Amino acid sequence: MMRTYAGHSSAAASNELYRRNLAKGQTGLSVAFDLPTQTGYDADHKLAKGEVGKVGVPIAHIGDMRRLFDGIPLAEANTSMTINAPAMWLLALYVTVAEEQAEESGRDGSTDTAEVLAKLTGTTQNDIIKEYLSRGTYIFPPGPSLRLITDMITWTVHHVPRWNPINICSYHLQEAGATPTQEVAYALCTAIAVLDAVRDSGQVEQADMAKVVARISFFVNAGVRFVEEMSKMRAFTALWDEITAERYGVTDAKARRLRYGVQVNSLGLTEAQPENNVQRIVLEMLAVSLSRGARARAIQLPAWNEALGLPRPWDQQWALRMQQVLAYETDLLEYEDIFDGSLVIESKVDEIKKGARAEIARVQEMGGAVPAVESGYMKSELVTSFADYRRGVESGERVIVGVNKFDTSEPSPLQAEGAKAIETVDAAVEKEAVLALERWRAERDDEAVATALAALKSAAGTEENLFEATLTCARAGVTTGEWSGALREVFGEYRAPTGVTASSGGGEAAADLTAVRERVRETGAELGERLRILVGKPGLDGHSNGAEQVAVRARDAGFEVIYQGIRLTPEQIVSAAVQEGVHVVGLSVLSGSHLEIVPEVVDGLVAAGAADVPVIVGGIIPPEDAKLLTDRGIARVFTPKDYELTEIMNEIVSVVRQARGLD
C-alpha cells in the first residue's frame, strides 16, 4: 500500500489533490485533517484562528466529507485517516458518505447498505494514549477517551469487518524522544489497555476477540539508524505475537500477525541542506521493508522539504516515486527474510525485547497505560530521553550531516531564488471556511440537530455504545465542534502532564552551559530578581517536543520557567506573562499559524502595559515569514537549523538585557 499524507485548504482542494495522486499510481489515501478538526473545533472558534486548513483539510460536517471524496468510490478505496479524539465522528461521516454513494448508484435497502459497509477498507489512527504523550490533539480525559475507542472498535467489528478501527501509533513516541525499547513498550502498553477495555466491556464475545486482535493495526516511525530500526520491528512483531497468544488466547497465527504501516521520520528531516533528506527517507524506508518477516504493510513517505514548510504536489510525487522504484525496479521484495540467522540482528532484537518486557511490566504494575499517563510517568520518561538525544546532537556525539558536521554547502538549485520551494495556504481559506459554516447552519434542520445532540449527550451519560448516536448526528448535519462540544459537557476536558518538572536534565556540565548560567545569575542580580521565562504553545499545535526541551534547558540554565502546556490562546499567554512577571516570552509554533497568532501576543503585552517583555518564537518558519515577524516586533526567530539549545539560552539572555537596557 503506497500513500502520501495529504490534505490542506479545503475539501475541494484536497479532493483535487487526491485524484491527482491516485492517477500517479498511489494505491491508498492518507487524509491529513487540520488542527481544528483534530481537536474538535469548528472554523469559527477562537482557538481555530490561524489554523484552518494549514496542516490538513478542515471537515466540519457531512457536506465537507461528501466533497472530500467526490468521485472517489469509498467501497473501492483504502483510506487512512489521521484522527484521534474525534475519530468516531469522522468515521461516522465517512460511513454515511459510503452509504449515500451506494444509494446514488442505485443500490438501496438494508441488505445493500450492509454489503457496502462490509467492503470498506482503511484505518482510523484513534490512539489517544500517544496524544497525551506527544502530539497533543486530545480533548477528553483518558477514561472517556478509552470508552470512545472501545465503542468504535466494537461497532466496526460487528458492522465494518475489514476496517482497522484503531492504529496504535508509536510514530509520535519516537518523535517525542522514545528509544526503540520505549517505542515498542509504550505502544504495546497502549494495545493492552485497549484490548483489555474491549474484552471487559461485554460488547464482544470472548470467541470474537481474535477478530478484534486481527483488526488492530500499528503505525510506527522509522528513523535513520537502519540496524536498530529493523531490529525494533522484528522485536515488535515477536512481542505482539506473544502477548496476543498468552494474554488474549488467540490461536490463529494469522490474526496475531503484527499489521503495521510506516511514516518515516519527518521530524528527523533537516532544514539545513534539505536535499540530504532524500537519502534519509530512502534508508528509513529500507529499514521497514527489507526484513520480510517484519515488513510494513503500508508505507507513506514525507517529502524532502517538510522541514521547510508544506510540500508541493511535485514533492509528494517524488516521495511516491521512491516507493515505486523499490517495489518495481529492485529485487528487494522477492526473497525470504534475508536477516534470518544473523547473529548481530538476533542479539539486537533480544536486547530490545528484554528492555521492552521490563518496561511493559513496570507500566502494568502502575495499573496500565492510563494510570501511567495520568501520573506523568511515561511523559517524563520521554522528555528525559529526548533531552539525552539533544545533548548528543549538541556535543557532536550524534552526527547529523549538514547540521552539526559537514555543514559547508553549495547553493541548492532546489531552493533557487524565485523558486516556490513550499506550498502555501491562502489566508482567505479560513474566512471562506467560516462563511461556508454559517451557510451550512442556516440551511440545515435545526430541530433535527438539537434532537441528535440531546440523544448523544444522554447516551454519553450511560454505558450505551455511542456510535449509533454519532451516526444520527452526522446524518442530521451536526458540526465537528458541536459533536465534540456535546461530549465535552459530559466528559469534561483534560490537560495532560507536561513531563517537564519530573524530567532529568542532568549530565550538563559543559563550559558553555556554565557560562550561560553565570550570565543568567548576573542578569538576575542586576535586575534584583531571578530571570523568568514563559514558554508558550499558542493555538492548536500540540507538537510540544521543542517547547519542552527549551523549558528543560532554560531550567538547567538557571531561569525560572513557566510552562503550562499546549493549546493556549494569545490572551491566556499574555495574562500568565503579566501575572508571573516574566522577563521574556518564548513561543513555539509548528503548524504554520505563526503570522496570525504570534503578533497577537506582542500586541496583547503592549496593551497590558508590558511592552518591555520581549517575545521570541521558534518553529517551522520560512525566511520571508521570519522577516515579517521581526518587523512586527518579535525579538528573535529560531528555526530547526538552530539546534544548539544552550546557545539559544545565551541569546535569550541577550534579548532580556537589551529589553531592560542593561547593554
Side-chain angles (χ1 to χ4, degrees), residues 532-597:
R532 289 182 295 279
I533 179 173
L534 184 148
V535 178
K537 289 286 296 177
L540 297 176
D541 169 30
H543 285 88
S544 58
N545 307 332
E548 289 154 3
Q549 293 306 310
V550 167
V552 170
R553 187 61 57 86
R555 182 193 64 194
D556 293 345
F559 282 90
E560 180 181 337
V561 178
I562 294 91
Y563 176 57
Q564 299 172 327
I566 63 171
R567 215 177 299 168
L568 300 171
T569 64
E571 293 80 7
Q572 288 172 321
I573 290 172
V574 169
S575 176
V578 172
Q579 289 178 14
E580 298 287 349
V582 302
H583 300 92
V584 61
V585 171
L587 305 177
S588 170
V589 184
L590 289 96
S591 64
S593 61
H594 44 268
L595 291 180
E596 290 85 359
I597 58 180

Side-chain angles (χ1 to χ4, degrees), residues 11-21 67-68:
S14 297
N15 174 264
E16 182 182 341
L17 178 63
Y18 296 162
R19 291 195 191 201
R20 197 159 61 233
N21 286 348
R67 187 67 188 88
L68 184 65

Side-chain angles (χ1 to χ4, degrees), residues 371-444:
V373 165
E374 293 172 331
S375 69
Y377 167 74
M378 285 202 284
K379 181 65 173 178
S380 63
E381 289 294 295
L382 294 178
V383 173
T384 297
S385 293
F386 199 29
D388 291 340
Y389 169 83
R390 296 288 313 185
R391 282 192 289 271
V393 172
E394 292 181 76
S395 69
E397 181 182 350
R398 182 181 288 265
V399 172
I400 301 179
V401 174
V403 176
N404 64 354
K405 197 173 181 66
F406 312 116
D407 55 357
T408 57
S409 181
E410 296 295 328
S412 169
L414 293 173
Q415 298 174 273
E417 185 176 351
K420 186 183 178 185
I422 58 172
E423 189 82 15
T424 55
V425 175
D426 193 326
V429 163
E430 184 170 317
K431 183 177 180 180
E432 291 168 2
V434 171
L435 291 174
L437 191 61
E438 291 174 356
R439 288 195 297 271
W440 177 264
R441 289 179 179 141
E443 294 169 1
R444 67 185 182 179

Side-chain angles (χ1 to χ4, degrees), residues 171-172 175-176 221 264-270 302 306-307 386 389 543 545-546 590 620 640:
Y171 175 87
H172 299 95
E175 288 194 338
N221 201 330
V264 306
N265 190 1
S266 290
L267 284 190
L269 304 181
T270 63
E306 283 198 14
F386 199 29
Y389 169 83
H543 285 88
N545 307 332
L590 289 96
I620 299 176

Side-chain angles (χ1 to χ4, degrees), residues 581-656:
V582 302
H583 300 92
V584 61
V585 171
L587 305 177
S588 170
V589 184
L590 289 96
S591 64
S593 61
H594 44 268
L595 291 180
E596 290 85 359
I597 58 180
V598 170
E600 285 194 23
V601 175
V602 175
D603 295 343
L605 288 169
V606 171
D612 59 341
V613 177
V615 176
I616 61 173
V617 63
I620 299 176
I621 300 172
E624 56 271 23
D625 287 2
K627 183 179 185 305
L628 291 172
L629 288 172
T630 54
D631 289 345
R632 283 286 280 111
I634 305 302
R636 297 288 189 280
V637 176
F638 298 102
T639 65
K641 70 178 183 300
D642 302 303
Y643 68 93
E644 294 183 346
L645 286 177
T646 300
E647 178 55 36
I648 290 174
M649 293 303 115
N650 193 45
E651 188 69 13
I652 291 173
V653 177
S654 296
V655 166
V656 173

Side-chain angles (χ1 to χ4, degrees), residues 2-8 13-22 24-26 28-32 54-56 263 266 281 299-306 309-324 421-423:
M2 300 182 189
R3 296 183 171 118
T4 52
Y5 182 54
H8 64 82
S14 297
N15 174 264
E16 182 182 341
L17 178 63
Y18 296 162
R19 291 195 191 201
R20 197 159 61 233
N21 286 348
L22 290 169
K24 292 174 181 175
Q26 186 172 301
L29 296 174
S30 182
V31 181
K54 284 283 171 62
V55 301
Q263 162 94 12
S266 290
I281 291 167
I299 298 176
Q300 60 187 48
L301 302 180
W304 68 279
N305 57 347
E306 283 198 14
L310 189 67
R312 302 159 297 186
W314 183 87
D315 305 313
Q316 292 192 328
Q317 173 184 294
W318 193 0
L320 175 63
R321 296 292 184 250
M322 293 178 198
Q323 292 195 64
Q324 292 168 330
I422 58 172
E423 189 82 15

